[in-house]
């Protein structure tokens, strides 16, 4: 008998035998929670009888597994901000590469792991200074088509 337990979560439809067992096992029971699907299958007679015994039956959503990050997303974000690649973060922390990407996405980090041939920020800066696409291409020694791609990319 657990006299300290006041709330129990049930994942099966309540039956009269189950209710008697619960009341015997938990004498200070005040609340029974269950998923909506179980609540809908439970007889209203049982719910009314329990309410006369001052025991509430409530719907409670316990969907999905709970996150077990243990603060790892903060460490991943810190390493990402220091400039480490996802692969380097994975090796340093001893976690999978997929987990690194998941934690970065969860922390809403702006993480771009692609290696670029040309400096996009430099191209955009030169355009803001008033240089034409052709002048930028000549200055940075890159194909004109690449300059247009970078400038038109959203």
């Amino acid at each position: 008998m657990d006299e300290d337990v006041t709330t129990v979560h049930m994942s099966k439809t309540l039956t009269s035998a189950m209710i008697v067992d619960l009341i015997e096992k938990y004498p200070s029971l005040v609340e029974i929670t269950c998923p909506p699907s179980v609540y809908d299958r439970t007889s209203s007679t049982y719910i009314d009888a329990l309410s006369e015994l001052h025991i509430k039956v409530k719907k409670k959503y316990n969907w999905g597994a709970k996150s077990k990050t243990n603060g790892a997303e903060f460490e991943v974000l810190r390493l990402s901000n220091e400039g480490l690649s996802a692969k380097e973060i994975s090796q340093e922390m001893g976690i999978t590469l997929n987990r690194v990407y998941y934690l970065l996405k969860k922390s809403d980090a702006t993480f771009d792991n692609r290696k670029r041939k040309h400096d996009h920020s430099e191209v955009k800066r030169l355009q803001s200074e008033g240089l034409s696409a052709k002048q930028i291409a000549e200055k940075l020694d890159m194909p004109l088509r690449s300059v247009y791609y970078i400038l038109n990319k959203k």
Side-chain angles (χ1 to χ4, degrees):
M1 267 181 15
D2 283 327
E3 295 178 14
D4 298 338
V5 177
T6 58
T7 302
V8 175
H9 184 78
M10 298 300 297
S11 57
K12 294 182 180 177
T13 306
L14 293 172
T15 63
S16 57
M18 194 182 297
I19 292 170
V20 171
D21 289 344
L22 285 172
I23 292 171
E24 286 178 2
K25 189 173 181 181
Y26 307 109
S28 58
L29 188 63
V30 177
E31 182 177 74
I32 298 174
T33 60
C34 57
S37 59
V38 172
Y39 184 86
D40 293 340
R41 289 191 312 253
T42 303
S43 169
S44 61
T45 308
Y46 294 152
I47 294 172
D48 293 339
L50 285 167
S51 105
E52 288 179 20
L53 296 171
H54 303 292
I55 299 174
K56 297 176 186 173
V57 180
K58 291 185 176 179
K59 294 179 189 179
K60 184 175 180 187
Y61 299 90
N62 277 344
W63 294 334
K66 304 300 178 236
S67 176
K68 296 176 183 139
T69 60
N70 300 330
E73 67 266 19
F74 302 116
E75 181 67 14
V76 168
L77 185 60
R78 184 185 65 77
L79 292 172
S80 169
N81 290 338
E82 288 178 4
L84 271 68
S85 71
K87 189 173 184 179
E88 292 168 337
I89 294 170
S90 168
Q91 290 169 347
E92 183 167 320
M93 292 188 65
I95 58 177
T96 65
L97 193 57
N98 284 343
R99 186 74 175 159
V100 171
Y101 285 120
Y102 168 77
L103 292 172
L104 285 168
K105 185 175 182 179
K106 183 177 180 182
S107 62
D108 293 328
T110 54
F111 183 73
D112 190 7
N113 198 29
R114 295 185 334 192
K115 301 265 189 257
R116 290 200 164 83
K117 202 175 201 181
H118 308 289
D119 187 6
H120 290 213
S121 58
E122 178 70 11
V123 171
K124 290 179 181 179
R125 185 185 64 76
L126 290 173
Q127 183 203 24
S128 68
E129 290 179 1
L131 271 66
S132 70
K134 187 173 183 179
Q135 291 170 329
I136 295 170
E138 290 170 358
K139 183 169 184 157
L140 298 178
D141 190 31
M142 62 188 283
L144 182 61
R145 180 132 177 90
S146 297
V147 173
Y148 279 121
Y149 173 79
I150 294 168
L151 295 176
N152 292 327
K153 193 174 80 172
K154 306 260 183 289

